[in-house]
Amino acid sequence: MVGVASDAGARRTRPGRGRADKAAAIARAACEVFGRDGYSRASIDAIAAEAGVSTRTLYNHFPGGKAELFRSVMRWSAGRVRDEQLARLRRYLDPHRPPRPEDLERDLLALARAWVALMTDFRDHFSLVRQIQGEAGHVPAEVLDAWQEAGPRAVAREMAEIMAALADHGLLDVHDDPAQAASHFVALTAAEIAQRSYWGVVPLPPEETDRITAAGVRAFLRAYGAAH
Amino acid sequence: MVGVASDAGARRTRPGRGRADKAAAIARAACEVFGRDGYSRASIDAIAAEAGVSTRTLYNHFPGGKAELFRSVMRWSAGRVRDEQLARLRRYLDPHRPPRPEDLERDLLALARAWVALMTDFRDHFSLVRQIQGEAGHVPAEVLDAWQEAGPRAVAREMAEIMAALADHGLLDVHDDPAQAASHFVALTAAEIAQRSYWGVVPLPPEETDRITAAGVRAFLRAYGAAH
DNA sequence: GGTAAACTACAACGCACGTTGTAATAACGA
DNA sequence: TCGTTATTACAACGTGCGTTGTAGTTTACC
């Protein structure tokens, strides 16, 4: 169970010559290796090899060593995915242009599908999230809080605003708690998939994710659809 | 392979003299240390010290070493908590004696509260679950599947049966999918708490968990309450 | 009290890994 | 072309840890 199968010659394309290129390559590689193996099992050598740099260069770019590298990668990955999450949110549910009532379910379903697709599109990130949850007791509380604030909470706030907007337009009844409605939307559409697929590591059959997502959206609309 | 006696005779001071006592003490200690530190960071010395035995005794009881110990503890802890989960399920929603309609929300709320209380009552187990999710890529697939089958899936099946029974008695409308209804019940009442509290590691204020749980039950009843 | 099993302390081996220093080499700007 | 900087290969150190062997001690039981 302990074996790490990634062979060492796995340097893909050479990072460019600039400093920034190396730093980005290291961050991407660290995200992948930390996500796959976890903090303790991930070795600096494996990360450097995956990034195509020497271990010495890695230490030159991240003088704090392994611990600081992990924290940097947490911030880097959280920001990247948060931006993409916010983009998808606004693409499918623009708070300034609410859908027609007969299109609400269609748009919510599209959003839910785009949401669960994130787990495969950013597999490395969500693997890292999984590892962060296991590592929570060993990460300083303020680092953990900063990560939540820069990632999950920012997304939750935006989604709550959209729920409130939909309620203002009479499309939903959020029962005076748009944040709770947003949380329930994510729980109904993504929680089961995340749990059963280990956050995208063991992908479910597409028809299964479609079924679960659609059932989640229908349940959400029964719970939060506007009374008529 | 050495099994772990499933008796619950927990000696609180020192492990007793019998073989079974030692094995149980080691399993309990391993559950705690693996859950706190994760597989890689957890050391055999720390587990042995926590159990109050020598490392040599640990290896005598678990000849497979660290990897086999982890797998044994997965099975042991999953079975223990599954039994408690099933007990609470039946205590609050006996499928043979459905509640009166006016008591349904009260009973569902009591069940939901008992459900989230599991996370603090069995903190070590759920910490271990968190670590298993991070370790999923390094645990043989059949071990992972056996664990799911002995724990989460067994509970999900039982809850689905209860949902079906409530539907048969006209208390719920499960929309032809009692398993999905059960999954949604858990998602609505426990998912947000599990995520925000890191599976019980960083406990939320009690009033916050109460609020979330109650809102989840109300949303569930709006989505799955019998039409009237 | 005696015997067998269980248990403990202790040492030792080997390996993997984080980290640092150093000297040589390649890239880039003036 | 020269000098500066980034990068590399390589060695080395220390440490922590999984695992095993051994010899002595305790416990259980007849």
Side-chain angles (χ1 to χ4, degrees):
Chain A
M1 85 192 293
V2 187
V4 174
S6 94
D7 92 1
R11 59 186 59 181
R12 11 183 86 166
T13 60
R14 261 211 216 73
R17 301 159 186 79
R19 262 190 80 95
D21 287 333
K22 300 277 184 186
I26 292 170
R28 187 167 38 244
C31 185
E32 175 175 344
V33 178
F34 277 135
R36 167 161 38 85
D37 295 339
Y39 178 79
S40 291
R41 209 193 301 255
S43 77
I44 295 290
D45 282 2
I47 295 172
E50 181 67 37
V53 300
S54 71
T55 64
R56 207 61 185 80
T57 302
L58 190 150
Y59 278 101
N60 287 342
H61 280 272
F62 296 89
K66 196 181 183 184
E68 183 57 32
L69 175 61
F70 188 72
R71 279 170 241 164
S72 296
V73 169
M74 279 176 62
R75 284 190 297 267
W76 176 75
S77 188
R80 223 165 56 104
V81 172
R82 177 208 54 206
D83 291 344
E84 178 63 24
Q85 283 180 314
L86 294 179
R88 295 192 183 189
L89 253 183
R90 291 167 186 146
R91 185 179 322 148
Y92 293 104
L93 280 178
D94 187 336
H96 302 101
R97 286 189 307 170
R100 292 175 302 179
E102 61 267 31
D103 293 336
L104 178 62
E105 177 166 359
R106 186 201 61 183
D107 290 352
L108 284 176
L109 185 56
L111 173 63
R113 282 201 219 280
W115 207 255
V116 302
L118 277 168
M119 282 191 278
T120 54
D121 294 345
F122 292 83
R123 184 172 313 192
D124 289 350
H125 167 78
F126 288 98
S127 291
L128 188 65
V129 169
R130 218 176 19 133
Q131 301 295 349
I132 290 171
Q133 286 176 345
E135 211 67 20
H138 299 278
V139 177
E142 68 270 15
V143 174
L144 214 54
D145 195 68
W147 170 75
Q148 288 246 14
E149 189 59 31
R153 277 205 289 268
V155 176
R157 267 195 302 272
E158 178 82 8
M159 189 176 275
E161 282 182 26
I162 291 181
M163 293 289 166
L166 291 176
D168 285 344
H169 289 88
L171 293 165
L172 292 180
D173 178 359
V174 295
H175 294 82
D176 291 329
D177 198 340
Q180 187 73 76
S183 171
H184 281 170
F185 179 75
V186 175
L188 285 171
T189 55
E192 182 180 351
I193 294 174
Q195 189 193 355
R196 283 181 47 196
S197 74
Y198 296 94
W199 294 84
V201 176
V202 186
L204 265 51
E207 62 269 19
E208 184 76 356
T209 66
D210 276 357
R211 191 184 61 74
I212 294 172
T213 311
V217 169
R218 286 195 301 271
F220 175 80
L221 281 175
R222 290 199 301 274
Y224 287 100
H228 38 240
Chain B
M1 138 177 20
V2 176
V4 175
S6 62
D7 87 326
R11 295 249 192 273
R12 44 189 72 104
T13 58
R14 295 221 175 115
R17 304 143 181 88
R19 259 189 83 93
D21 287 331
K22 299 278 183 184
I26 293 170
R28 187 166 40 244
C31 185
E32 175 175 343
V33 177
F34 276 135
R36 167 161 36 87
D37 295 340
Y39 179 79
S40 291
R41 210 194 296 257
S43 78
I44 296 290
D45 281 3
I47 296 172
E50 180 68 37
V53 301
S54 71
T55 65
R56 207 63 186 78
T57 300
L58 189 150
Y59 278 100
N60 287 341
H61 280 272
F62 297 89
K66 195 181 182 183
E68 182 58 31
L69 175 60
F70 188 72
R71 285 178 278 227
S72 296
V73 169
M74 278 175 61
R75 285 190 296 269
W76 175 76
S77 188
R80 222 165 56 105
V81 172
R82 178 207 55 206
D83 292 344
E84 178 64 24
Q85 283 179 313
L86 294 179
R88 295 192 183 188
L89 254 183
R90 291 167 186 144
R91 185 179 321 148
Y92 293 105
L93 280 178
D94 187 336
H96 303 101
R97 286 192 307 170
R100 293 175 301 178
E102 63 267 30
D103 292 337
L104 179 61
E105 177 165 357
R106 185 202 60 184
D107 289 354
L108 284 177
L109 185 57
L111 173 61
R113 283 200 219 280
W115 208 255
V116 302
L118 277 169
M119 283 191 280
T120 54
D121 295 345
F122 292 83
R123 183 172 313 193
D124 289 349
H125 167 79
F126 288 97
S127 291
L128 188 65
V129 170
R130 216 175 22 131
Q131 302 294 348
I132 290 172
Q133 288 177 342
E135 211 67 18
H138 300 277
V139 178
E142 68 268 16
V143 174
L144 215 52
D145 194 68
W147 170 74
Q148 288 245 13
E149 189 59 32
R153 279 206 288 268
V155 175
R157 268 195 301 273
E158 178 82 9
M159 191 176 273
E161 283 183 26
I162 291 180
M163 293 290 166
L166 292 176
D168 285 343
H169 288 89
L171 293 165
L172 291 180
D173 178 359
V174 295
H175 294 82
D176 292 327
D177 198 340
Q180 188 71 77
S183 171
H184 281 170
F185 179 76
V186 174
L188 286 170
T189 54
E192 181 180 351
I193 293 173
Q195 191 194 353
R196 283 182 45 194
S197 74
Y198 296 94
W199 295 82
V201 175
V202 186
L204 266 52
E207 62 270 19
E208 184 76 354
T209 68
D210 275 358
R211 190 184 61 76
I212 295 172
T213 311
V217 168
R218 286 195 301 270
F220 176 80
L221 281 175
R222 290 198 300 275
Y224 287 100
H228 39 239

